[in-house]
């Protein structure tokens, strides 16, 4: 039945029976599926594309008569294969990615049983849902552009399914999208953002690459990645390169090989103290009192399944409730399931408050291990005369001597005494090697010390914001000295260029830098025009994320306040410029109120007229006949309304079917015994046809076609 029209791409999307779909329409639906699938493929299994191709191939063979319609067995087999593949890929069907894959698979397999216009509309409806779901993966500019393209194609498919040809469907689709754009912008600007809309359960995602525990060499692996950790813009003073120490968390538990983070819950259990001694929740740190803020920043954070938030030194305040830990760590109250804005103030320095865990906890070492390191600490302590400041300076000077070197490709440490192996054998390492060695040396002489993991530096963009990436990950030491925690970074002694210029400035082992990102545009940063394009794109993407995706309640209220202030300023200016200000203001107010009343009355009158016409089909037809008469297509003497419309339909071109249907609906409503429900349905159908008649006849007149029904 469908073979005769499969090769005519410009033909009508519907076959003669008005229900079955042609090959052209099926191709339209398949291409729409491909567009929607393309939005997901960067995050979903690539074999979903094979399902799309197999389904399209089956339908092609069916159209050519080589295969019959897909029966229940074929469709159930497809669903079973899809579910099994997703289960094997994810290990479960309960997580978000698996559920999205199931939605996409059902969307693709639906083409197997799509034979009528109703089936086609179902496919398009699922496509709208799948397009919306794509924004759970990403909300950047490419995703927005791809989503708009898929949306336009789906709207075109829906209009095409309602009748007519593809070219006319494109015009109507463009008109619909253009009409909806102002409403979309208005709703975006004025309607409150529904935060939980995108906060669906997601698989654990970590943006920074930092882990709860580190060993010497771990952070060196992050120099291989250009993944973005966060972006930041400062209000007021910006930190100098040597001040851009972004604290993420501290590590105070050392077992001889690895440093681990001690959470408030763990410290409370180990030390027998209340958990409230180690953490406070709110918008201001309870540990630093009235300490003045040096920096005020707005951070655009990447999604992260872990709770911590970076801060430039010790955090002071945030714009939303957070967990302030006594060790200077800042945590959110929930994981970040999408990019989020965080406004905060900070000191830029190490925390000044004492840690409730106590000095003994921060000076604790295993009973045995690293004997040569302990011996070195004792010798340096004696040479410093037992003075902590001189002792720490001696450690820094010791690291600054040959043959110690800083490298992005440190040798692997394999012995049980890894600090000894680094200090006395390999003598080459990354920031964690030197930070770990310095903390152990300090603890060996009972000086409280801890490692801080975070980021150092960040790329400054021409518009003033900074981008911090994985390769900016860094580790340094904080020691308790003179009644406060003091930051000490042994990297500054061994590789000062790392502090000033970033990881890319380290020459030794430089081949490891961005080794996991072979196509990163950062590799071409020395090529001027490529680097400018990269910076322009990142600036545009940052503004999109901050201004569009980050448009939350505070931004909406601020925008509404600015608009209201601008309108008040314009009004005040008009009143000031005109004579008789009080009188003019009153007259303008009366004019505005009168115009509003007149407009409201006109709307009520129009609504009442439409209501009456909806209840009286004869009145609607008379109005249509009058409209036709003004265009030279009036009724002949003694001609009934139905005969008049049918006569015009024969030469009305695209408006002909609508005119015939108007005559048919009028006769059924006037003479057929109809129930209330069917009568309401036919009146709605008549109203739609009346609108269609006027629209199509206007277009025909604008196209210069010969007006039908004019007496010769």
């Amino acid at each position: 039945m469908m073979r005769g029209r499969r090769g005519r791409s410009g033909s009508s999307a519907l076959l003669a029976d008005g229900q079955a779909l042609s090959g052209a329409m099926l191709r339209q639906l398949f291409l729409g599926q491909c567009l929607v699938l393309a939005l997901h493929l960067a995050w979903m299994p690539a074999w979903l594309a094979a399902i799309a191709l197999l389904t399209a191939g089956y339908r092609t063979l069916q159209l050519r008569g080589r295969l019959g319609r897909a029966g229940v067995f074929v469709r159930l087999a497809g669903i079973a294969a899809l579910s099994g593949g997703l289960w094997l890929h994810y290990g479960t069907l309960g997580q978000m990615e698996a559920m999205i894959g199931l939605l996409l698979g059902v969307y693709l397999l639906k083409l197997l049983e799509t034979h009528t216009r109703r089936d086609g509309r179902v496919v398009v409806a699922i496509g709208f849902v799948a397009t919306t779901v794509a924004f759970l993966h990403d909300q950047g500019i490419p995703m927005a552009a791809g989503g708009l393209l898929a949306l336009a194609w789906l709207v075109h498919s829906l209009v095409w399914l309602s009748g007519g040809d593809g070219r006319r469907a494109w015009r109507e689709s463009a008109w619909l999208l253009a009409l909806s754009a102002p409403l979309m912008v208005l709703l975006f600007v004025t309607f409150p953002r529904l935060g939980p809309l995108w906060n669906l359960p997601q698989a654990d995602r970590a943006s920074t690459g930092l882990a709860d525990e580190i060993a010497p060499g771990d952070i060196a692996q992050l120099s291989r990645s250009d993944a973005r950790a966060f972006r930041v813009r400062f209000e007021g003073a910006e930190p100098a390169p040597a001040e851009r120490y972004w604290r993420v968390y501290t590590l105070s538990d050392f077992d001889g090989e690895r440093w681990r983070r001690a959470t408030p819950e763990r410290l409370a259990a180990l030390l027998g103290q209340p958990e409230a001694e180690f953490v406070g929740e709110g918008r201001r740190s309870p540990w630093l009192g009235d300490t003045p803020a040096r920096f005020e920043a707005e951070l655009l954070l990447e999604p992260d399944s872990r709770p911590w938030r970076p801060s430039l030194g010790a955090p002071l305040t945030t714009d939303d409730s957070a967990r302030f830990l006594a060790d200077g760590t800042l945590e959110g109250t929930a994981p970040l399931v999408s990019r989020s804005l965080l406004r905060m103030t900070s000191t830029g320095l190490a925390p000044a408050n004492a840690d409730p865990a106590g000095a003994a906890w921060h000076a604790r070492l295993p009973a045995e291990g690293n004997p040569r390191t302990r011996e070195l600490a004792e010798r340096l302590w004696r040479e410093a005369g037992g003075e902590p400041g001189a002792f720490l300076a001696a450690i820094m000077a010791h690291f600054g001597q040959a043959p110690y070197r800083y490298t992005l490709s440190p040798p692997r440490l394999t012995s049980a005494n890894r600090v000894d192996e680094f200090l006395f054998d390999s003598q080459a390492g990354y920031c964690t090697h030197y930070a770990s060695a310095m903390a152990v040396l300090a603890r060996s002489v009972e000086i409280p010390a801890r490692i801080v993991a975070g980021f150092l530096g960040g790329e400054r963009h021409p518009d003033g914001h900074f981008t911090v990436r994985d390769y900016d990950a860094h580790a340094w030491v904080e020691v308790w000295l003179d009644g406060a925690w003091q930051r000490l970074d042994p990297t500054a002694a061994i590789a000062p260029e790392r502090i000033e210029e970033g990881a890319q400035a380290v020459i030794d082992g430089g081949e490891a830098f961005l080794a996991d990102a072979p196509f990163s545009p950062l590799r071409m940063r020395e090529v001027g025009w490529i680097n400018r394009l990269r910076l322009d794109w990142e600036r545009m993407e940052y503004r999109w994320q901050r201004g569009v995706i980050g448009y939350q309640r505070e931004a909406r209220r601020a925008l509404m306040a600015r608009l209201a202030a601008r309108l008040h300023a314009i009004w005040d200016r008009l009143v000031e410029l005109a004579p008789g200000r009080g009188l003019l203001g009153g007259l303008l107010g009366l004019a505005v109120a009168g115009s509003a009343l007149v407009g409201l009355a006109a709307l009520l009158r129009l609504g009442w007229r439409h209501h009456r016409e909806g209840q009286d089909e004869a009145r609607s037809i008379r109005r249509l006949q009058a409209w036709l008469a003004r265009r030279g297509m009036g009724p002949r003497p003694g001609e009934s309304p139905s005969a008049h419309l049918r006569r015009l339909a024969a030469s009305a071109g695209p408006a002909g079917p609508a005119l015939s249907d108007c005559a048919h609906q009028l006769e059924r409503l006037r003479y057929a015994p109809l129930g209330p429900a069917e009568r309401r349905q036919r009146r709605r159908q008549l109203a739609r046809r009346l609108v269609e008649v006027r629209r199509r006849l206007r277009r025909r007149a604008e196209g210069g076609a010969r007006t039908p029904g004019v007496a010769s």
Side-chain angles (χ1 to χ4, degrees):
M1 179 178 63
M2 300 176 65
R3 297 176 61 186
R5 300 185 60 175
R6 65 176 183 272
R8 298 173 56 190
S9 59
S11 63
S12 173
L14 308 177
L15 290 183
D17 60 1
Q19 295 294 327
L21 300 179
S22 70
M25 189 66 240
L26 287 172
R27 285 194 295 273
Q28 173 83 4
L29 295 176
F30 172 69
L31 291 176
Q33 289 180 327
C34 292
L35 289 175
V36 174
L37 183 61
L39 301 177
H40 293 267
L41 274 186
W43 296 269
M44 302 304 298
W47 49 261
L48 287 174
I51 294 180
L53 294 175
L54 289 174
T55 304
Y58 190 100
R59 287 309 310 271
T60 300
L61 293 176
Q62 179 194 339
L63 287 175
R64 294 178 177 177
R66 299 178 183 178
L67 289 175
R69 287 193 176 187
V72 175
F73 177 78
V74 173
R75 285 176 281 168
L76 290 178
I79 294 293
L82 170 67
S83 303
L86 292 172
W87 185 82
L88 290 174
H89 187 87
Y90 293 107
T92 178
L93 294 179
Q95 73 180 50
M96 190 195 70
E97 282 80 0
M99 290 187 285
I100 293 177
L102 192 60
L103 171 66
L104 290 175
V106 170
Y107 174 48
L108 299 172
L109 291 172
K110 179 66 180 175
L111 202 63
L112 288 175
E113 57 179 11
T114 300
H115 303 286
T116 65
R117 283 186 293 176
R118 178 185 177 279
D119 296 334
R121 286 191 289 269
V122 171
V123 171
V124 174
I126 300 176
F128 283 126
V129 176
T131 301
T132 304
V133 168
F135 288 94
L136 293 174
H137 301 303
D138 181 67
Q139 299 171 33
I141 295 176
M143 179 63 74
L148 184 61
L149 176 61
L151 175 66
W153 191 272
L154 293 173
V155 170
H156 172 253
S157 302
L158 198 61
V159 174
W160 196 1
L161 279 167
S162 66
D165 56 38
R167 183 176 300 177
R168 181 175 300 153
W170 273 121
R171 289 197 299 269
E172 295 183 5
S173 301
W175 181 244
L176 289 172
L177 292 173
L179 287 177
S180 64
L183 178 61
M184 176 185 66
V185 173
L186 179 64
L187 290 176
F188 174 83
V189 171
T190 60
F191 198 77
R193 293 291 297 272
L194 302 178
L197 178 64
W198 302 111
N199 296 350
L200 298 181
Q202 301 192 38
D204 288 347
R205 291 190 297 177
S207 65
T208 67
L210 296 174
D212 275 335
E213 59 180 54
I214 62 173
D218 284 358
I219 287 184
Q221 298 299 315
L222 297 182
S223 67
R224 305 170 64 91
S225 169
D226 69 341
R228 188 166 47 217
F230 60 93
R231 286 166 283 189
V232 59
R233 178 184 294 276
F234 291 95
E235 300 292 338
E238 294 182 358
E243 295 180 306
R244 296 172 193 162
Y245 282 86
W246 296 94
R247 301 176 93 258
V248 176
Y249 56 82
T250 66
L251 302 111
S252 57
D253 187 9
F254 181 61
D255 64 2
E257 294 184 6
R258 305 188 69 84
W259 290 86
R260 291 180 173 83
R261 179 170 179 255
T263 63
E265 297 79 9
R266 184 162 174 259
L267 283 173
L270 288 174
L271 303 178
Q273 301 180 31
E275 186 178 329
E277 293 289 327
F278 302 96
V279 61
E281 187 169 335
R283 297 191 177 188
R284 183 174 182 86
S285 171
W287 315 107
L288 299 176
D290 297 327
T291 304
R294 288 187 61 205
F295 300 108
E296 182 178 354
E298 179 191 72
L299 282 74
L300 179 59
L301 302 170
E302 295 295 307
D304 198 335
S305 61
R306 298 163 305 190
W308 50 66
R309 309 288 188 260
S311 65
L312 192 66
L316 287 175
T317 63
T318 59
D319 65 339
D320 202 358
S321 182
R323 284 164 47 96
F324 293 85
L325 276 57
D327 65 355
T329 298
L330 178 65
E331 292 185 349
T333 56
L336 294 176
V337 297
S338 62
R339 290 188 179 96
S340 300
L341 287 172
L342 174 67
R343 294 175 178 84
M344 63 181 302
T345 61
S346 60
T347 65
L349 303 172
N353 61 292
D355 196 314
W361 171 262
H362 290 94
R364 190 169 68 98
L365 284 175
E368 299 179 354
N370 298 302
R372 291 187 289 175
T373 301
R374 296 172 192 258
E375 182 181 348
L376 174 63
E378 293 173 0
R379 178 172 64 82
L380 293 176
W381 179 258
R382 288 193 303 270
E383 293 174 355
E387 205 282 316
F391 169 75
L392 296 171
I395 296 176
M396 297 285 281
H398 182 76
F399 287 150
Q401 299 172 358
Y404 289 107
R405 60 189 178 90
Y406 196 83
T407 176
L408 297 179
S409 301
R412 186 176 181 182
L413 304 178
T414 58
S415 69
N417 300 316
R418 296 189 180 183
V419 179
D420 279 0
E421 185 179 359
F422 163 65
L423 284 175
F424 298 97
D425 297 328
S426 70
Q427 297 181 324
Y430 199 59
C431 59
T432 42
H433 294 81
Y434 290 95
S436 176
M438 185 166 196
V440 171
L441 287 167
R443 288 189 174 194
S444 297
V445 295
E446 303 297 327
I447 296 178
R450 62 193 182 192
I451 290 181
V452 183
F455 299 89
L456 172 61
E459 180 184 29
R460 190 184 190 281
H461 293 259
D463 66 344
H465 84 274
F466 293 80
T467 297
V468 180
R469 304 179 185 273
D470 271 0
Y471 59 67
D472 292 312
H474 192 57
W476 60 95
V477 178
E478 288 178 350
V479 297
W480 182 257
L481 190 65
D482 298 330
W485 289 101
Q486 306 287 336
R487 179 196 301 145
L488 289 176
D489 189 355
T491 299
I494 188 66
E497 68 276 9
R498 168 65 181 93
I499 308 300
E500 295 292 333
E501 303 177 43
Q504 64 270 23
V506 178
I507 298 176
D508 195 343
E511 69 279 356
F513 184 69
L514 298 181
D516 292 341
F519 303 107
S520 172
L522 288 164
R523 288 180 169 272
M524 305 293 290
R525 60 188 178 279
E526 302 300 330
V527 182
W529 68 273
I530 294 180
N531 198 50
R532 286 193 297 271
L533 287 177
R534 176 183 69 85
L535 293 175
D536 289 342
W537 169 257
E538 291 187 358
R539 179 174 63 252
M540 182 172 61
E541 204 271 341
Y542 171 73
R543 290 178 176 175
W544 168 268
Q545 293 292 340
R546 182 175 176 270
V548 179
I549 306 304
Y551 184 77
Q552 302 291 348
R553 290 172 297 178
E554 294 79 6
R556 185 178 65 86
R557 284 198 293 266
L559 178 61
M560 293 296 102
R562 288 197 300 270
L563 290 177
R566 183 66 59 84
L567 292 176
H568 281 297
I570 294 174
W571 173 263
D572 293 340
R573 184 63 176 166
L574 289 175
V575 172
E576 290 176 1
L577 292 176
R581 297 174 185 174
L583 178 61
L584 177 63
L587 292 176
L588 286 175
L590 289 175
V592 171
S595 300
L597 289 175
V598 170
L600 180 61
L603 288 175
L604 291 175
R605 182 174 180 275
L606 182 62
W608 174 249
R609 188 178 69 185
H610 279 289
H611 173 72
R612 290 184 61 190
E613 290 179 356
Q615 300 298 320
D616 187 356
E617 55 276 359
R619 187 189 302 272
S620 301
I621 294 297
R622 285 197 298 271
R623 289 182 60 84
L624 175 63
Q625 287 183 294
W627 185 84
L628 292 170
R630 290 194 295 271
R631 285 157 177 77
M633 295 178 282
R636 293 172 179 171
E639 190 175 34
S640 68
S642 299
H644 173 212
L645 298 181
R646 286 197 173 95
R647 175 175 59 80
L648 294 180
S651 57
L659 284 166
S660 297
D661 194 49
C662 286
H664 172 71
Q665 299 297 342
L666 174 64
E667 291 173 344
R668 297 290 296 174
L669 287 167
R670 299 293 285 179
Y671 305 116
L674 304 176
E678 186 178 357
R679 184 170 293 276
R680 287 193 298 271
Q681 180 181 358
R682 289 189 176 275
R683 279 174 173 164
R684 287 195 295 268
Q685 178 69 14
L686 176 61
R688 287 195 294 268
R689 288 301 194 182
L690 290 173
V691 173
E692 183 179 352
V693 166
R694 299 189 185 199
R695 185 178 71 249
R696 293 187 181 277
L697 287 178
R698 285 196 191 101
R699 290 180 181 176
R700 194 163 186 262
E702 292 170 359
R706 184 179 64 87
T707 303
V710 179
S712 57

